[in-house]
Amino acid sequence: MGNLHLIKLCVGIDSPDQLLLSRESHGTLHTPTRHVTRMWPKREVELLDGGSLYWVMKGVVQARQEILRLDEITGEDGIRRCGIILKPDVIRTTAAPRRAFQGWRYLKGEDAPVDLPENRVKDDALPPELARELSDIGLC
């Protein structure tokens, strides 16, 4: 996995399952997805070397998607934006609490939550508050 990632709030989505349902309802479950953001990452080369976008849902990092590329998007307002093109797979991660923040932030590889082991991917999701508390004491 890459040494540099992005982390972003997944607004309006409470869980990886809900993210998948939302993508399915938009017909993008099996195709790369695009997340448009105002700022262009200055560390693009590092991000494209195996980086992922980690999603914070209900105050807890719960999933990630691998970054395929960054596309330039120009809106009707003429403003240049960054389209983060993501692999369709939503990879569940161990729970990691995060405070709310605006936009996206860089996330160093050593600070990124690890992927859930294959035998835990189908586990029922813990309520975000419980996941946060367990993570705070090092149990999740």
Side-chain angles (χ1 to χ4, degrees), residues 92-140:
R92 294 169 191 267
T93 66
T94 55
R98 283 289 192 265
R99 296 183 195 273
F101 56 91
Q102 293 280 327
W104 53 261
R105 300 283 183 269
Y106 290 113
L107 177 65
K108 294 178 184 174
E110 62 266 20
D111 296 333
V114 297
D115 296 348
L116 278 180
E118 201 54 43
N119 63 341
R120 288 198 46 213
V121 169
K122 296 293 182 190
D123 288 356
D124 288 336
L126 293 174
E129 298 78 22
L130 179 58
R132 190 177 311 110
E133 289 177 24
L134 289 173
S135 178
D136 285 346
I137 60 173
L139 295 176
C140 186

Side-chain angles (χ1 to χ4, degrees), residues 6 14-15 20 24 32 36 39 51 53-54 64 77 82 85 89 93 101 113 119-120 133 135:
L6 294 177
D14 294 343
S15 69
L20 288 168
E24 186 176 29
V36 179
M39 301 303 292
L53 177 59
Y54 283 78
R64 70 179 178 90
D77 55 9
C82 179
I85 309 303
D89 301 328
T93 66
F101 56 91
N119 63 341
R120 288 198 46 213
E133 289 177 24
S135 178

Side-chain angles (χ1 to χ4, degrees), residues 1-125:
M1 193 177 333
N3 292 322
L4 188 66
H5 309 283
L6 294 177
I7 186 168
K8 180 150 185 19
L9 300 181
C10 197
V11 178
I13 302 289
D14 294 343
S15 69
D17 287 336
Q18 191 178 5
L19 176 61
L20 288 168
L21 286 172
S22 171
R23 294 197 42 235
E24 186 176 29
S25 71
H26 289 96
T28 61
L29 189 58
H30 302 292
T31 60
T33 56
R34 179 178 78 176
H35 179 77
V36 179
T37 184
R38 192 169 50 102
M39 301 303 292
W40 193 281
K42 290 178 175 52
R43 299 172 69 183
E44 176 179 1
V45 172
E46 293 172 84
L47 288 173
L48 296 178
D49 187 22
S52 290
L53 177 59
Y54 283 78
W55 291 114
V56 178
M57 302 167 185
K58 299 285 284 186
V60 179
V61 177
Q62 298 184 49
R64 70 179 178 90
Q65 287 181 270
E66 294 177 47
I67 299 171
L68 291 172
R69 67 181 188 274
L70 304 178
D71 287 352
E72 185 173 321
I73 309 292
T74 304
E76 291 179 16
D77 55 9
I79 296 175
R80 176 182 177 246
R81 293 181 173 82
C82 179
I84 304 169
I85 309 303
L86 305 165
K87 283 189 176 179
D89 301 328
V90 175
I91 301 163
R92 294 169 191 267
T93 66
T94 55
R98 283 289 192 265
R99 296 183 195 273
F101 56 91
Q102 293 280 327
W104 53 261
R105 300 283 183 269
Y106 290 113
L107 177 65
K108 294 178 184 174
E110 62 266 20
D111 296 333
V114 297
D115 296 348
L116 278 180
E118 201 54 43
N119 63 341
R120 288 198 46 213
V121 169
K122 296 293 182 190
D123 288 356
D124 288 336

